Structure formats: C-alpha cells, structure tokens
Amino acid sequence: MKKGFYVLALISCVMNLMFSVSCGDKYPTFEELKSAERKEINKIIAEKGIKVISEYPANGVFGENEFVELSNGIYLNVIDSGNGNRATYNATTILIRANVEYYDSRYDSVVKESFFANDRSPFEFKYGYAYSVMTAHKSNGDAYTYYFSAGLESVLSYVGDSAEVKLIVPGYAEINNYEAGSTFQTADRYRYIPFYYDRVRYIFY
C-alpha cells in the first residue's frame, strides 16, 4: 500500500515538474505580443508629442507632429511628398536613407541609427519587392536584417521621388499577410519591437 502511494506521489511530482517547465517556456500569443507592443507605441506617441489623426489630410499637408494611422497599423507623417514622380511596380529602383530608433528593454536604453551619413549605404530595392529583399537578408545579420522592412516600402503609395516622411512601424503590422516590420522587429518570440523613424528619404533611379 505504502509502495503504491510513493509511486503515485513520485508520478505526481514528475508531472508537476513537467507542467512547471512547460508553463515557464510558454511563448506569448500573437494578441499578447500585439498588446504589449501597443503599449510601447503609446509611449512613443506620448514622448514625441504626436497627435494621431483619423484620416489622411485632404490637402496632403500634415502638421509637424500629426500622424495618420494607416489600415496596416503603420503611422505616417509626410514632411515632403516629393516631386510628383511615383514609383512603378517592378520597374523603379528605390534608395532609402533613414534615421531610426527603438527602445531596447534588455538594457533600458534607446538605440539610434542613422543612414544619412556618407559612410552608410542606403537601402536599395526594386519597388514591389521589399519583402523579397527582407527574405534574402533574413539570416545575414546586416543592416537590412535590422532596419529594412516592407513597411518602409508601403508608404510609396502616398509619396514619390525625393519624398521625406516620419514613420512608426510596428512589428505586428502586416501587408498582404506578410510582416511589415523588419526581421529584427519580430525575431524575438517574447516581444515585438516598434521602430520610430524621424526621417525617411526616398530617391528613385
């Protein structure tokens, strides 16, 4: 009788241990990741003094800190809409230079990068193929892996050559069922990382 009791107790302990380990390794759900990132985006909005407007301005003119939230979850402020020349799918080659920052919770610090300096190469891609470029660089660990995204390409439906914009690109945002954020923004299973771009410039050639 006692032997049977000890065996049951041992099995119970093992099961409890397995359950505890399983629970400890549980990843957040998509909705939990999205909710946590939403809080980070709200911090960015508050810290930058951003006013979120519900519709794209009819005259195309934004206030300095006015951002419209697009249907894909990206926030856009147009500084300069460009020279009127719009990109053509599978034909126009785009060069992007950008200033980007994000909060790194591991070190409780803000990371900033600039690709306007002469010693930094711009991001280059053909219009319509940003996600393919992301995929090609997915495992490279280079600047494209960290900072280039389909989200940067997506706003070209609003602006043209020589345009400048500001953006908030969430990791959870999707474009045609593909991730809008960079590979780095969605690589951590425990969190999504929103990026704030205080200046993005598009050049066509």
Side-chain angles (χ1 to χ4, degrees):
M1 186 72 175
K2 288 185 178 180
K3 184 177 180 181
F5 172 79
Y6 290 134
V7 169
L8 288 173
L10 178 61
I11 292 173
S12 178
C13 288
V14 171
M15 292 297 291
N16 286 335
L17 179 61
M18 290 175 63
F19 180 76
S20 298
V21 171
S22 176
C23 289
D25 289 343
K26 181 183 177 183
Y27 296 122
T29 65
F30 173 73
E31 289 303 322
E32 289 170 336
L33 288 169
K34 190 173 179 178
S35 176
E37 188 177 32
R38 166 56 58 187
K39 293 178 181 178
E40 292 298 322
I41 291 171
N42 288 340
K43 286 182 182 178
I44 294 172
I45 290 172
E47 289 173 0
K48 304 298 181 183
I50 290 171
K51 177 184 177 183
V52 179
I53 55 179
S54 59
E55 295 182 356
Y56 197 96
N59 61 1
V61 179
F62 286 74
E64 183 178 356
N65 277 340
E66 285 184 342
F67 282 66
V68 62
E69 183 178 4
L70 304 176
S71 59
N72 55 23
I74 292 172
Y75 293 79
L76 167 67
N77 168 276
V78 178
I79 302 169
D80 185 335
S81 61
N83 58 21
N85 181 25
R86 294 301 179 94
T88 301
Y89 183 83
N90 196 28
T92 306
T93 299
I94 316 291
L95 298 180
I96 292 180
R97 289 192 178 276
N99 292 331
V100 57
E101 64 182 68
Y102 68 92
Y103 174 68
D104 189 338
S105 59
R106 297 170 302 175
Y107 304 104
D108 192 24
S109 62
V110 175
V111 177
K112 297 184 178 183
E113 287 285 350
S114 177
F115 294 90
F116 279 96
N118 291 332
D119 62 343
R120 303 297 296 272
S121 298
F123 298 110
E124 180 176 343
F125 66 101
K126 186 170 287 188
Y127 184 51
Y129 289 87
Y131 191 77
S132 297
V133 172
M134 286 177 59
T135 301
H137 286 263
K138 200 174 186 73
S139 302
N140 291 5
D142 58 10
Y144 282 84
T145 306
Y146 280 84
Y147 302 112
F148 180 76
S149 69
L152 291 173
E153 177 190 56
S154 68
V155 300
L156 287 170
S157 58
Y158 298 93
V159 298
D161 184 23
S162 300
E164 291 198 8
V165 304
K166 299 178 185 178
L167 296 170
I168 299 175
V169 179
Y172 67 71
E174 292 186 353
I175 301 170
N176 297 325
N177 296 320
Y178 292 110
E179 295 169 352
S182 71
T183 299
F184 171 72
Q185 286 179 261
T186 57
D188 191 331
R189 294 187 182 184
Y190 292 97
R191 63 177 183 147
Y192 286 156
I193 303 173
F195 277 4
Y196 173 68
Y197 295 86
D198 72 1
R199 186 185 176 199
V200 181
R201 188 164 191 249
Y202 301 91
I203 297 295
F204 300 175
Y205 80 96

